[in-house]
Amino acid sequence: MCGIAGSVCFKRNIKVDIDILERMSFVIANRGPDGQGLQILDDGRIGMVHRRLAIIDLSEEANQPMCDADGNIWVVFNGEIYNHKEIRKELNQIKQIHWKTDHSDTEVLIHSYAVWGIKCLKKFRGMFAIALWDKKRNAFYLIRDRLGIKPLYYGITDNRINFSSNVAALLEDKDQSREVDKKAIFDFLSLLAVPAPNTLFKKIKKIPAGHYIEMYPDGKISQKCYWDPCRHLSKKELSESEPAIKGKLLNRLRKSTNLRKVSDVPVGVFLSGGVDSSTNLALFSESEENVNTFTVGYKGTREYKNENKYAGEMAQYCHAIHHDEILDDESIISFLDELKNMCDDPAADPVMISQYYIAKLAIDNGIKVVQVGEGADELFAGYTYWKRHAIYEKLNFIIPETIKKRIYQAAVRKGTLSGQNIELLRRAAENEGIFWGSGAVYIEEYRKKKLFNKAFMRDIGTHKTWDNFGDVYYKCKPWMLSNTVGWMACVNFKFRLPELLLARTDKACMAVGVEGRVPFLDHKLVEWGLRIPEKLKIRKGIHKYILKETVRGLIPDNVIDRKKVGFGLPFIEWYKGRLGNIMKEKVVGFVSQSGFFDEREVRKFMDAKNSDPTGIWALFILSLWWEQYGCQSMKTLEVKRNEG
């Protein structure tokens, strides 16, 4: 796990700016506290920056930027290739290689590219954001892993492309446009994040999960998809018996967990006490002793129920060394300045705060690699609202559009339904998918249109948030009735996981120099898991049925059968106190400064009894982004007006 950055100039007579590269390196320093490197290539046209978090092969020979023996292939790489030993063995059978490192996965990456070209990506089992320069072909690649576990951004200027592990580093280039993407802001309030390839800045993009871009000196750029979950949904569903599927699933889970033990430093486990993290711990502990586990809880709450007790019991069951910390609302308030720094490409999920404190607890106890439970709910239909939404989606598919329009119009006239239900009916009436990657409707489309002022809405034109999902929907349409939860999984794999859930984990962990690994998102497990019949994922109202029955006996029954409680924090309670007052003050300031909103409507929204606090949190996170990064766009525009 590391941080990467760099520049690629389009013209030979233009060289990279070393000062910008050094500033970018400083901005991503928290991602790699164990070392740094900077390399200028191709007569000054290319610059590569690396900040190292040393996990595999701790020697100096494994430092980056790294090249092959001839200096023809250069790489900076953030992530891990878990099967690097297996690939190294295969490479040795193909050709004689003089390895300069003992077991660096970065060097395996370089020689894999030398042998297989860009098709080497098919060999890699892991998480990665890669920048690679091929001197012979005069080609430069930016590559993001299949599930989007690691982020990768690039900024476009007149003469060059800068790239980085975060947006903040790209803003160190004064030539980088800070023009705000209003369509992205519109989408953010519904989705709590911005779908790739967009960010909140028009000229800054992110590589979508499972994609890479290829660049040439003449400025030609092409983006290609090398992995898509929809392709695997189209494959024939598994026809084996339930016991056979359970046996294969357990073997695949073991393989994935064991691969993610690969490390030259100790590895721990984030433990909430639920099925997913408990499964990680149980499998991890099968061949490891004294595993460190970490969780946090919150004091002074009435409605929110801590799961610390269950986490402690599970740690004891697996003979783990458990670390536990109890926080209060003042802990959250004191964290807000740090949170502001994380908002360069914001993810408006309050759970990121919990994850930050768990990661900090890990690093404070000498653990800088942790396994986390993301992905199980998406792959095995663990969200309790999925059954209901699957029914909605099937009905949406079957009922003719004219009838759906009539139902929606009648509901609007009567005015008896809640905002969320009206929004779902609107989606159906306008021939959109019902499910957008979340069961909740944080801020409905009609309400968003009221929150923004007329000038803002005029600027975004006919844009709709649904525009981000249409492509996935139509790819999955042939299986919409037979495998509705498959479509729901795919839309999550394409958007909600990489840009919200995994983004929050990456930001929280990297803020303190901790690597987060996700065993449930091994791509081979995902490809196979998408073929599990829908009836084995939700059975008799039991969500995640096949996973629960697979691990029964591996973890205690009371963990499996306990009612699902999403890991989080008592945000709704704290919103009623000092934190809520701070949030409202920040939002009002943002609304006033940006000129995007109707202030009266925003105040009405925040004060309404039926407003989802998560929607207000999204406005608050947007206000932090504006304060730290976005307001500079207004200053830049003002300077340009004055110069003009």
Side-chain angles (χ1 to χ4, degrees):
M1 190 75 68
C2 306
I4 65 174
S7 293
V8 180
C9 295
F10 296 137
K11 299 176 182 177
R12 287 285 175 188
N13 61 336
I14 297 176
K15 299 183 183 299
V16 297
D17 188 323
I18 295 178
D19 182 56
I20 292 174
L21 294 174
E22 289 177 341
R23 294 203 305 272
M24 292 170 74
S25 177
F26 178 79
V27 171
I28 61 172
N30 60 295
R31 300 184 69 91
D34 298 331
Q36 59 181 309
L38 189 155
Q39 186 71 40
I40 305 299
L41 302 166
D42 198 32
D43 296 325
R45 195 177 66 84
I46 294 172
M48 287 182 159
V49 169
H50 188 258
R51 283 282 185 165
R52 187 180 186 194
L53 181 64
I55 304 295
I56 292 176
D57 195 335
L58 309 184
S59 68
E60 290 188 5
E61 286 76 13
N63 287 343
Q64 301 179 44
M66 186 184 289
C67 66
D68 64 352
D70 300 323
N72 289 322
I73 301 169
W74 282 87
V75 160
V76 283
F77 160 51
N78 167 30
E80 307 289 356
I81 298 173
Y82 301 120
N83 61 334
H84 66 94
K85 290 182 180 179
E86 175 187 321
I87 298 173
R88 184 181 282 240
K89 184 177 179 181
E90 183 179 357
L91 287 167
N92 283 333
Q93 293 172 345
I94 294 172
K95 61 183 290 190
Q96 186 175 0
I97 297 174
H98 175 68
W99 298 92
K100 67 178 180 180
T101 68
D102 180 67
H103 59 284
S104 165
D105 56 343
T106 308
E107 190 175 16
V108 167
L109 191 164
I110 289 171
H111 289 294
S112 296
Y113 177 81
V115 170
W116 296 299
I118 197 64
K119 291 182 180 180
C120 68
L121 298 176
K122 295 180 180 180
K123 299 282 184 180
F124 300 156
R125 202 164 177 176
M127 54 182 183
F128 45 83
I130 303 167
L132 184 148
W133 164 238
D134 182 338
K135 183 179 178 180
K136 285 185 176 179
R137 292 186 60 242
N138 213 11
F140 196 94
Y141 293 93
L142 294 175
I143 307 161
R144 192 176 181 193
D145 66 69
R146 297 171 181 85
L147 278 305
I149 302 167
K150 303 315 302 170
L152 186 54
Y153 302 89
Y154 61 99
I156 305 166
T157 74
D158 289 339
N159 297 314
R160 60 186 169 275
I161 281 184
N162 298 324
F163 63 89
S164 177
S165 297
N166 65 22
V167 169
L170 301 176
L171 299 176
E172 291 298 311
D173 187 342
K174 64 179 176 58
D175 292 333
Q176 176 63 58
S177 168
R178 288 174 175 258
E179 184 181 358
V180 171
D181 187 336
K182 292 182 179 179
K183 293 178 182 177
I185 289 178
F186 185 79
D187 294 341
F188 180 86
L189 290 187
S190 286
L191 306 175
L192 310 186
V194 179
N198 299 318
T199 72
L200 292 176
F201 296 102
K202 268 191 176 181
K203 295 293 186 178
I204 295 179
K205 303 296 182 182
K206 53 188 165 190
I207 311 290
H211 286 68
Y212 65 85
I213 65 171
E214 188 174 15
M215 298 183 282
Y216 291 92
D218 60 1
K220 180 184 176 184
I221 299 173
S222 61
Q223 179 173 285
K224 298 180 181 179
C225 175
Y226 69 91
W227 190 87
D228 187 337
C230 302
R231 295 173 190 162
H232 300 280
L233 184 67
S234 67
K235 294 181 179 178
K236 187 178 179 180
E237 72 175 28
L238 302 177
S239 58
E240 296 103 316
S241 66
E242 182 181 324
I245 291 175
K246 287 194 294 189
K248 289 184 178 180
L249 175 55
L250 186 57
N251 288 337
R252 288 172 183 272
L253 288 171
R254 273 202 180 96
K255 174 70 172 177
S256 181
T257 302
N258 287 331
L259 278 171
R260 281 151 186 81
K261 290 181 183 178
V262 174
S263 174
D264 292 330
V265 297
V267 180
V269 176
F270 277 11
L271 184 61
S272 69
V275 173
D276 307 340
S277 63
S278 296
T279 298
N280 279 347
L281 175 60
L283 291 172
F284 195 97
S285 301
E286 286 182 335
S287 59
E288 299 286 338
E289 295 181 354
N290 302 321
V291 179
N292 284 269
T293 57
F294 306 92
T295 195
V296 296
Y298 298 92
K299 61 185 176 183
T301 63
R302 293 174 182 164
E303 300 170 23
Y304 177 84
K305 304 298 181 185
N306 284 316
E307 289 198 289
N308 297 56
K309 171 190 171 186
Y310 304 118
E313 289 173 355
M314 188 64 208
Q316 188 175 14
Y317 180 82
C318 292
H319 307 290
I321 303 169
H322 190 53
H323 307 270
D324 192 309
E325 187 173 354
I326 303 297
L327 307 169
D328 58 20
D329 58 341
E330 289 302 316
S331 303
I332 308 309
I333 291 169
S334 66
F335 171 68
L336 293 182
D337 282 341
E338 182 67 42
L339 180 60
K340 191 192 300 183
N341 291 329
M342 297 180 188
C343 286
D344 54 342
D345 181 29
D349 190 334
V351 172
M352 186 163 67
I353 298 172
S354 300
Q355 291 183 318
Y356 169 84
Y357 278 107
I358 298 175
K360 189 174 185 302
L361 189 59
I363 200 69
D364 288 346
N365 284 276
I367 303 296
K368 61 179 181 179
V369 180
V370 291
Q371 293 199 1
V372 297
E374 304 289 9
D377 284 324
E378 286 72 21
L379 187 56
F380 302 110
Y383 295 109
T384 54
Y385 56 79
W386 271 35
K387 182 180 180 181
R388 183 176 71 254
H389 273 256
I391 294 171
Y392 294 163
E393 202 69 87
K394 290 178 194 292
L395 290 172
N396 183 38
F397 189 81
I398 294 170
I399 298 173
E401 186 178 346
T402 53
I403 295 176
K404 290 187 291 187
K405 284 184 182 296
R406 288 175 194 165
I407 294 171
Y408 172 62
Q409 290 164 359
V412 171
R413 282 197 304 270
K414 290 181 180 179
T416 55
L417 293 179
S418 69
Q420 288 208 7
N421 290 327
I422 283 290
E423 168 63 13
L424 296 180
L425 286 176
R426 183 205 62 78
R427 293 178 189 180
E430 296 186 14
N431 211 26
E432 300 175 353
I434 294 288
F435 183 77
W436 290 6
S438 172
V441 179
Y442 301 113
I443 302 182
E444 302 89 347
E445 295 292 282
Y446 82 88
R447 185 169 289 188
K448 277 195 302 184
K449 291 176 181 178
K450 288 185 177 181
L451 293 178
F452 291 109
N453 60 34
K454 291 180 180 178
F456 183 97
M457 292 306 301
R458 189 166 53 247
D459 286 345
I460 70 169
T462 59
H463 173 75
K464 298 194 297 182
T465 298
W466 170 249
D467 295 343
N468 297 286
F469 304 118
D471 180 57
V472 188
Y473 185 78
Y474 290 110
K475 283 180 182 177
C476 297
K477 213 168 181 181
W479 306 277
M480 193 59 68
L481 290 179
S482 61
N483 194 357
T484 312
V485 298
W487 135 255
M488 295 164 76
C490 283
V491 77
N492 269 20
F493 286 137
K494 295 282 278 188
F495 161 66
R496 192 166 188 262
L497 262 169
E499 314 311 346
L500 180 63
L501 305 185
L502 293 170
R504 76 185 184 192
T505 301
D506 179 79
K507 290 172 185 292
C509 289
M510 295 306 333
V512 293
V514 168
E515 173 174 298
R517 297 179 173 181
V518 278
F520 287 108
L521 291 181
D522 181 272
H523 79 275
K524 290 185 178 293
L525 174 61
V526 170
E527 292 171 359
W528 181 81
L530 283 170
R531 297 172 58 208
I532 296 175
E534 183 175 303
K535 64 184 179 182
L536 291 181
K537 293 181 178 179
I538 305 175
R539 173 174 285 186
K540 294 181 180 178
I542 300 173
H543 288 71
K544 211 153 46 180
Y545 168 82
I546 189 64
L547 176 63
K548 290 177 178 178
E549 293 308 307
T550 295
V551 299
R552 196 174 291 278
L554 182 71
I555 63 177
D557 285 353
N558 69 320
V559 174
I560 295 171
D561 298 326
R562 190 171 69 247
K563 183 179 178 181
K564 179 179 175 63
V565 179
F567 180 66
L569 74 167
F571 165 64
I572 293 176
E573 290 183 60
W574 289 347
Y575 175 69
K576 298 172 185 176
R578 195 160 83 91
L579 178 61
N581 293 331
I582 293 171
M583 288 171 57
K584 289 178 181 178
E585 183 181 339
K586 293 279 189 185
V587 170
V588 169
F590 163 52
V591 166
S592 175
Q593 293 172 28
S594 67
F596 299 155
F597 297 90
D598 182 323
E599 185 172 336
R600 186 177 62 86
E601 288 293 336
V602 172
R603 287 181 181 272
K604 187 191 300 184
F605 172 73
M606 290 195 293
D607 293 336
K609 290 182 179 180
N610 64 341
S611 287
D612 184 345
T614 308
I616 301 172
W617 180 260
L619 278 167
F620 170 62
I621 291 298
L622 203 54
S623 74
L624 293 184
W625 166 79
W626 178 263
E627 189 176 321
Q628 187 76 350
Y629 303 104
C631 66
Q632 295 298 319
S633 64
M634 299 295 282
K635 294 177 182 177
T636 302
L637 287 173
E638 189 63 34
V639 168
K640 287 183 177 179
R641 286 194 199 102
N642 293 336
E643 288 176 349

